[in-house]
Every structure is written in C-alpha cells, then in structure tokens.
Amino acid sequence: MIAEAGLAALWLAAGLALVQLALGWGAARSGSAELLAATRRVSVAQGVLAMLSFGVLILLFLQSDMSVQLVAQNSHSEKPWLYKFAGAWGNHEGSMLLWVTVLAMAGGGVALVERRIDGKTLAATLGAQAAIAIGFYAFILIASNPFLRLNPPAPEGMGLNPLLQDPGLAFHPPTLYFGYVGLSVAFSFAVGALLTREVGPAFARAMRPWVLIAWVFLTIGITAGSYWAYYELGWGGWWFWDPVENASLMPWLAATALLHSVTVLATRDGLRAWTLMLAVVAFSMSMIGTFLVRSGILVSVHAFAVDPTRGSFILALLGIYIGGALALFGARVSTVTQGSTFQLVSREGALVLNNLLLSVILGIVFIGTLYPLLAQAMGQQLSIGAPFFNKASVPVALVLVVATMAGPLLKWRRDRWGALGRQMALPGVVSVLAFAALAALSGSSDWVALIGLALAAGLAVASVLPLWKRNLRRTPLHIWGMVIAHVGIAVSIAGMASDAAFKQERLVALRTGEATTVGPFQVKLADVRPAIGPNYSAMQAHLDVTRSGGAPFVLFPGQHYFSSPVTTTSEAAIKTMADGQLYTVLGEGTGDGRWQVRLWWKPWITLIWFGGALIALGGLMAMIGRLRRERRPAAGAEDGE
Amino acid sequence: MKRGLLIWAPLLAFAVVFGFAARELWKPSDRTIASGMVGKPLPQMALKPLLLDRPGFTTAELATGKPRLLNVFASWCIPCIAEAPQLMKLKAAGVEIDAVAVRDKPEAVEAFLSRYGDPYARIGDDPRSAAQLALGSSGVPETFVIDGKGRIVKQHIGDIREEDVPEILAALAEAAR
C-alpha cells in the first residue's frame, strides 16, 4: 500500500502543477490578487505532495521492500542503512523523482516567501515553474515510474554499485540537484519577466538569493564530487573532464556569470537582456546535463540509465523548455527597455569582462563536451579529453583571474585608469615577485602552472583589499562573502597549479619487504594480506612510510571485492599532511610475488577543495547578507556595494 | 538588425545541438568499434609461433604481393567456433589465412583446430593482447583483409557468417588488383 500512496501523491502533485499553471496564467493576465493567492497555495501544496512522494520512496528503501522493482534492482537487505537511504536516489527513477521534488519545493519556496516583485511577474514565474514540473512529472509517470511493483516479490535485492557505497557520495547527487534545480527558479523568474516585461532592480533583487543558494549548492556539489572521484576511483586525478563532470561545471559557470550580472542589474539597472539570457542559459545547462546523463548518448562512467526512449522523452522536454524560453527571449527581449549604461573602466565594465570570459570558458566546455556527438553524426569516432580542455580554458581562466583582481577595486559607473593602476599596484607586485621566486627556486618548468600560482598570490592580496581602511565590524556581510569567495578562488587555483607543477608519481612492482621512494617519502611494502569488510572481502597492503626527518606512519591501500553486484574497486589510502597528500594505490599482483604499487606525492593539493569550500562559504555569507539587508524596510535602494 | 540577429543566435545554436542529439538518439545504435588502422600498413610485429608445426606471424613476411586474411581468434571464444566453417570455406577457395591467437595456450589451440578445422597458415602467439591492440581490434573474432603490400584494407568485426563470405572474397579480389 505504501508504494501506491507514493504514486498517488505523485499523480496529485502532477495534477496540482496543471492547476498551478492555469491559475498562474490567469493571475498573470488579469493581475487578480485572489488568483495569485490561490496560485501561491497550490504551489506550496504541490511541493508538499512531491516531498511526500519522495519520502515514501525513501521509506520503501529503508524497509527493503523487495516487492517494489526499483528497490529490488538497486538495494540489498544486508546493506548499511545509510546506503539503503542513499539508494533511493542512486538510480535513474529515484533521481528523477528527487529532481522533480526539488523543483516543486523550489516553486513552493518562491510562493511562500516572495513578496517583493509585482504580482503579475510572480504569477507568471509560478506558472513557468509549474510548466517545467509538468513535463518532468509526465516523464516520471509515463517512462520512469519508481513505484512499479514486482510480482512475485524478489527474495533479495541486487545491490547498489559499490563505487556508490560511500558516505560522501550519498549526499553528492542531492547537493548537485539542489543546485541544478534551484536554477529553475532563476529560469522561471526570467520567463515571468519576459512575459510581463518587468525587468529592473526589484526583479534582480528577488532573483539574486535564489541564484546564490543554487550556486552555493552547485559549488559544494562539484567540490565534493571532485574529491570523491579523487579518493574513490584511485586514479590520482581530481578532475577528468568527463561529460558528466562537465555537465555540472557548465551550469556552475553560467550561474557564476549570472550572479555577477544580476548584481549589476540590482545595483545599477544595467545588463537587463544579458541577465535574462544567462538565467535561461543556466537552467538550460542543468537540463542538458540531465539529458546527457540520462540518455547515454555520450559515453560516460556516470551514465547509469542508458535508454533511448527516456532519452527521447527528455530531449523533447528540452526542446519545449529551452527552445520555448529562447524563442520567448528572441521575441520579447527587444521590448525590454535598455537599462542604464556605464563606462568601460568601472565595476560594471569589470563584471561584463568577467561575464564574457566565463561565457568563453562555458563555450569551450560546451563545445568540447558535445563535439564528439557532432563528429559521430559525421561518421567519426573521437573523444575529447583533458589536453583540449586544459589548453583551451586555462589561458582564459588566467585572464579571468586578473579581471577578478581588478573588479572589486573599481568604482561603479565610472573610474579612472590611473586609479585602477594604483589599486592594482600591490597585487601586481605580489604576482610578479611570486613568479620570479617560483621560477628561480622551484625548479619546475610548467610555466602555465607557475603563472597560475603567481596570479593566485596576487588574487589573494587583491581580494582582501576591499576591506582596507574599512571598519571591519561595520562591513556588510555580503562584502565579506565576496572577499571570502574570491580568496577561495585564489586558494583553489593555488592547489590546482601546485598539483600540476609539483606532483611526483611512482609506479613500481614490489615484493613484500622491498621499498621505494616518492618525493620526500620512503615507502616500504611490509605485507599484503586478505581482509574482510561488512559486504566485501579485500586484499590489503601494509605500507610503512617515513618522511625524511619525520615520524613514520602506515597506510593500508587495498582492492575490495564486492559480491552484490560483483565488482572490484581499488581503495586508495591517503595521508593528509599540512603541505599536501601522499596518495597510495595497490594494483594487481604480478603473479611472481610482486604487487603493483602506485604512489603520488601531491603538494598542497588539498587547497583545491579547501578553496571550493571557501567559495561556497562566501556565497552563503553573501546570500544571508543580502537577505538580511533586504528585510530591513528602509533598504529600498542599494547603497552601491 | 545586428542586435536582432544576435538575439536569435542562442536559439539557433540550441536548434543545431538539438538536431544532432535527436539524430544520434534515434539512429540505430552501432556498438562496433572500427579500427583506426584500416587503410594503413600493418603495424610492425613479430609474433612467436604458438604451435611447433608452423611459423608465427611476422609483418616482414607479408609483402608477397598476394592478399591474405588475418584472423584474430582464441580457442576460448565461442563465436570463433561459429565462424570456423566459413574460414574453412575461404581456405578451400584458395585464400591464405594467418592468425593471431589472443591469450591462448598451445594445447588448447591444437584441440580447437582438430575439432573445428584448421584453416591457418601461420599462428602468432599474442599472450597479452599487445598485437590485438596494435591492430585496433577490440574483441575476438575479428578478421582483417591485408593487401599484397601489407596494408589493412578491411576489418570484419565479429564472426564471419555464411552471408559475409562473398563480401570478404570480393575485398580480397579488390585488393589483388
């Protein structure tokens, strides 16, 4: 009965979405306050029903109800409860239900709290949000029903892919989905504003917290996903330019551009059309990402639902929503009056540069991800990997770092080159000195990475300059947020560049008792022995490590053999130190008593994820700061921060 | 006018992507992986003989002017059994067939050949799939048509069926010209 209740809730939610669309449409046309109030209530109810439905699915997984096909295919009664719980979204149907649930919750959230924009635009926004939801409800109910029964029930479940059995990963998809789908609010706001032609600072201020929170979730999701891939896959890399990684990066890039342009719109009433465009693009990228994962048209480790029927369905939805929004944009944007203008050397100018550079990177990632598809259509098989993405995007990213240094130091509307020069003197000198020192002392010949490190140093300095001569206690929270997020970017880039320039790798076959060195470490293979885990057996190596002049420690990299489903995973053992990580992987035995051991010394690599966390923290602070400021009744106009 | 065009550019770009995605999605899926070596000379290799009664497979010996087949097979491969009669037919038609035995053992190959027929003039031993990878072959069985100068002119993926034989003979005749 429980599964049927979940399905019923889902059908009801879908029905309410239809009602919401109709009411929203009516309210947007008539401007009737009663209709708008009804639309709000229906939005909230739809969100609650979707949550209920998803809650039921989680319950079914926790109870290991093997009469439900999805549970039988993706869970196992012997699994630790956390993975039963996470199993609810570790599969196609469940993740789509989570997707639509977040979508409905976001719509409900807008309906509950949004009081600032005019009623017609809000009604159109809620209508647009409902229109998106209807498509995804239809997709789930028609093509991916998670509540299908199995008759007779399975005696036991088939288990969850062991790679996914990791506490970090349990919360990776929901985090990303909150980000992806949170951007749907920006999309719906843009559609609503295009319909009513009400684009201005009030609209931007209403949209901004949603963009910020979605962006924070995306940042956390991408950062955590990167770390997960780093320690779980055992390949020693932290970013693989895999299509699905790119699918999460593209909305992030668009959202990063959006949250900067929306600030221009909120503060200076500029960049109206561009901001609308970005809002549409950001969520479009989220949907394209979903499509790439779900359709299997691009080969990827993430493509766990390779199914052309579902792919066609999602593609049709994409056509309707993205095509529709872009067509609406084309038809309506010329009637959106132009906002205020500005000089080239100004805060707005730097933010436009930031937007352009982010768009270029987005374009590079987009083309690189989809080009294999295009080539395939022309009868060529090829894949595009890290060399293309790195070569094409890193130089643009480095220019973007320079723009990030300058932006916060410029005045709104108009500034002077001379003033900019004075402001940039200190970060510039820091960068040049850092580069000279690195080039002379480090011995690395990876010039791009050294430039990256030098610019990161300059950016760190430039980022805190806006606090100079300010009363720190009276500095608004969103300024702190910007400073911290920008410092986070510097920190993260320093980690990436340091890994590129200074990492050391060693692949050896060792007998027990033999030793090797990597970087400053002496590593001895003391023993390899079998071990037993809760749902796997393993071969585990015992490595004795000494760092020159440091205390010895041990590491236990291993190979895990899972029985349900049958899979082998390599479990890296990582020692984190203040100045980097020693990363060890046990490979296969060579048959003559030797074991492949792979070692990396990665100085400062942890900065990548630490920086990511800082960026997310900065975004969170900016969001809270903005919300608090706008709560104050007197804060009608922005004070130009 | 210029701004007008720019406004529609995103929709146009999306339409192009949509078109390609739809085409890719709806065309029948082709899961074979064609070798990038077709049209190129065989990679240099000198494989040791797997059996005592015949030579191994060496690229240097191929420039005889006569086209031939190179069959990538293994005694542990079921489709290889299915294609054995067709290989015998090709041999009867006067085609010289060489083989690369992937991850195999002499005893197993001897048993395989005595049971399903022995079409091979040479059998090279490829214990670690190195030769197979160099050929751009992604599985067994695969058959390469080699022209008289040692160039790969055609790759047949999977077992050779009854109906594939004329096509392979035609490719050999084409290569002989």
Side-chain angles (χ1 to χ4, degrees):
Chain A
M1 266 315 281
I2 305 180
E4 284 66 32
L7 189 59
L10 197 59
W11 274 104
L12 275 177
L16 282 186
L18 275 172
V19 174
Q20 182 183 335
L21 175 60
L23 286 175
W25 178 263
R29 285 195 75 99
S30 66
S32 146
E34 284 103 67
L35 276 182
L36 176 61
T39 314
R40 281 185 196 264
R41 270 179 235 128
V42 172
S43 305
V44 175
Q46 187 216 327
V48 171
L49 279 169
M51 278 161 70
L52 194 68
S53 179
F54 189 63
V56 166
L57 187 68
I58 289 178
L59 193 66
L60 290 170
F61 267 85
L62 285 178
Q63 292 181 340
S64 295
D65 185 342
M66 296 302 168
S67 72
V68 175
Q69 191 180 338
L70 191 67
V71 180
Q73 279 172 355
N74 295 286
S75 193
H76 193 283
S77 60
E78 300 285 303
K79 257 187 345 186
W81 75 269
L82 178 66
Y83 303 129
K84 288 185 184 172
F85 182 66
W89 56 76
N91 58 74
H92 167 77
E93 286 83 354
S95 65
M96 289 319 293
L97 184 58
L98 174 62
W99 169 279
V100 84
T101 301
V102 179
L103 192 69
M105 279 163 58
V110 173
L112 268 182
V113 304
E114 195 51 64
R115 309 270 165 213
R116 281 160 296 185
I117 58 173
D118 71 285
K120 281 187 177 184
T121 306
L122 178 59
T125 302
L126 291 175
Q129 192 78 5
I132 304 170
I134 289 166
F136 285 93
Y137 281 126
F139 175 64
I140 295 174
L141 290 168
I142 295 167
S144 326
N145 181 359
F147 296 109
L148 267 188
R149 287 284 192 183
L150 202 59
N151 190 16
E156 187 46 278
M158 287 157 64
L160 174 72
N161 184 346
L163 272 180
L164 304 179
Q165 297 191 20
D166 178 90
L169 200 68
F171 297 98
H172 171 62
T175 313
L176 269 184
Y177 274 21
F178 274 102
Y180 282 161
V181 185
L183 290 174
S184 71
V185 177
F187 179 92
S188 295
F189 266 121
V191 169
L194 280 167
L195 287 170
T196 59
R197 299 187 179 85
E198 290 286 335
V199 188
F203 161 79
R205 282 204 295 274
M207 183 158 96
R208 181 162 56 192
W210 294 97
V211 177
L212 272 168
I213 191 70
W215 181 79
V216 166
F217 273 114
L218 274 180
T219 308
I220 296 172
I222 293 173
T223 308
S226 157
Y227 192 66
W228 172 80
Y230 169 76
Y231 78 77
E232 183 71 24
L233 294 180
W235 299 338
W238 51 272
W239 190 263
F240 300 96
W241 298 105
D242 172 278
V244 176
E245 283 177 329
N246 295 346
S248 68
L249 183 63
M250 289 191 284
W252 185 85
L253 288 167
T256 310
L258 176 60
L259 73 90
H260 288 94
S261 85
V262 83
T263 297
V264 176
L265 183 56
T267 313
R268 299 282 321 147
D269 196 12
L271 302 182
R272 288 178 170 181
W274 176 247
T275 302
L276 291 176
M277 182 75 234
L278 278 178
V280 169
V281 165
F283 183 58
S284 299
M285 287 298 168
S286 301
M287 286 197 283
I288 289 176
T290 313
F291 171 70
L292 291 181
V293 188
R294 299 287 156 238
S295 67
I297 57 169
L298 288 177
V299 181
S300 154
V301 290
H302 292 71
F304 56 78
V306 179
D307 183 338
T309 322
R310 288 170 176 171
S312 309
F313 205 123
I314 298 190
L315 185 62
L317 293 181
L318 244 60
I320 294 167
Y321 297 135
I322 303 179
L326 290 176
L328 182 70
F329 179 83
R332 278 293 174 88
V333 79
S334 51
T335 63
V336 171
T337 50
Q338 184 159 11
S340 59
T341 55
F342 47 86
Q343 301 280 312
L344 182 65
V345 183
S346 64
R347 179 79 69 88
E348 292 98 315
L351 288 173
V352 167
L353 183 61
N354 143 309
N355 269 230
L356 287 178
L357 293 170
L358 280 168
S359 305
V360 170
I361 299 176
L362 175 61
I364 290 168
V365 179
F366 187 73
I367 289 171
T369 309
L370 290 175
Y371 187 76
L373 192 70
L374 208 118
Q376 217 175 344
M378 295 189 285
Q380 244 186 332
Q381 289 271 2
L382 56 81
S383 67
I384 290 186
F388 164 79
F389 288 106
N390 289 340
K391 277 211 181 80
S393 64
V394 168
V396 187
L398 291 180
V399 178
L400 181 56
V401 171
V402 177
T404 312
M405 288 187 208
L409 303 175
L410 286 163
K411 290 199 185 76
W412 287 104
R413 210 155 70 86
R414 187 153 59 140
D415 208 328
R416 290 189 318 277
W417 282 107
L420 175 60
R422 273 196 301 283
Q423 295 262 35
M424 287 289 281
L426 180 61
V429 167
V430 168
S431 286
V432 170
L433 286 181
F435 183 74
L438 284 165
L441 301 176
S442 75
S444 167
S445 59
D446 187 341
W447 296 111
V448 178
L450 293 186
I451 291 172
L453 276 168
L455 288 179
L459 176 58
V461 172
S463 299
V464 295
L465 279 185
L467 297 176
W468 184 253
K469 288 187 181 161
R470 264 189 115 104
N471 181 339
L472 292 187
R473 237 180 287 160
R474 300 200 43 155
T475 303
L477 195 56
H478 67 261
I479 300 285
W480 279 107
M482 176 188 77
V483 167
I484 287 176
H486 284 183
V487 169
I489 291 184
V491 169
S492 196
I493 288 178
M496 298 174 196
S498 169
D499 181 48
F502 306 129
K503 74 158 172 262
Q504 298 188 32
E505 181 178 355
R506 169 128 337 179
L507 173 61
V508 284
L510 294 180
R511 283 174 209 289
T512 48
E514 286 180 342
T516 183
T517 58
V518 61
F521 298 93
Q522 172 111 23
V523 181
K524 189 173 120 186
L525 181 64
D527 196 8
V528 179
R529 63 171 58 161
I532 277 293
N535 52 352
Y536 61 82
S537 61
M539 287 306 286
Q540 205 169 53
H542 177 147
L543 301 177
D544 282 324
V545 190
T546 40
R547 184 171 191 168
S548 43
F553 56 90
V554 291
L555 286 172
F556 300 100
Q559 298 260 0
H560 288 191
Y561 312 106
F562 290 83
S563 56
S564 65
V566 179
T567 321
T568 306
T569 64
S570 80
E571 300 290 317
I574 302 171
K575 173 76 174 178
T576 305
M577 282 151 279
D579 59 345
Q581 288 186 326
L582 178 67
Y583 188 110
T584 63
V585 177
L586 176 68
E588 288 178 23
T590 53
D592 56 355
R594 293 186 302 167
W595 292 85
Q596 285 180 7
V597 178
R598 196 161 193 161
L599 309 166
W600 281 276
W601 164 234
K602 292 169 166 291
W604 304 110
I605 189 164
T606 35
L607 292 183
I608 296 176
W609 307 291
F610 179 61
L614 280 180
I615 297 170
L617 175 68
L620 193 67
M621 287 167 73
M623 189 197 68
I624 295 170
R626 293 294 189 190
L627 284 178
R628 279 221 306 237
R629 174 168 282 243
E630 280 155 27
R631 276 288 149 77
R632 267 184 260 149
E638 297 255 320
D639 64 354
E641 300 284 14
Chain B
M1 186 59 212
K2 219 172 162 194
R3 184 176 147 98
L5 278 181
L6 216 58
I7 283 169
W8 294 101
L11 183 61
L12 196 71
F14 174 69
V16 170
V17 170
F18 184 89
F20 276 113
R23 194 193 133 122
E24 207 48 43
L25 204 58
W26 294 327
K27 84 168 185 214
S29 68
D30 175 14
R31 303 219 171 264
T32 54
I33 302 165
S35 170
M37 297 301 294
V38 175
K40 294 183 188 156
L42 264 180
Q44 288 296 322
M45 52 179 84
L47 305 183
K48 287 190 197 130
L50 184 79
L51 303 181
L52 297 173
D53 63 353
R54 69 193 87 190
F57 181 77
T58 308
T59 325
E61 292 171 12
L62 290 181
T64 57
K66 189 184 172 200
R68 66 183 66 221
L69 292 182
L70 176 59
N71 183 234
V72 181
F73 87 111
S75 67
W76 42 262
C77 137
I78 305 296
C80 297
I81 300 172
E83 76 171 359
Q86 280 68 252
L87 289 178
M88 294 306 290
K89 233 174 264 173
L90 285 163
K91 186 193 176 192
V95 180
E96 193 165 326
I97 306 176
D98 296 334
V100 169
V102 179
R103 293 176 182 259
D104 222 325
K105 294 209 165 65
E107 316 83 71
V109 170
E110 259 166 10
F112 180 89
L113 295 181
S114 65
R115 188 152 173 205
Y116 303 109
D118 181 356
Y120 302 127
R122 301 181 177 83
I123 303 180
D125 184 13
D126 188 17
R128 296 227 174 248
S129 298
Q132 186 187 22
L133 288 177
L135 285 165
S137 152
S138 54
V140 279
E142 283 191 19
T143 306
F144 293 87
V145 179
I146 319 280
D147 74 3
K149 291 181 212 124
R151 246 168 16 104
I152 300 175
V153 295
K154 182 180 160 64
Q155 177 193 24
H156 180 91
I157 296 173
D159 53 320
I160 299 173
R161 307 265 168 97
E162 202 63 68
E163 59 270 26
D164 299 327
V165 173
E167 200 184 318
I168 287 177
L169 284 172
L172 283 163
E174 174 80 9
R177 268 194 285 144

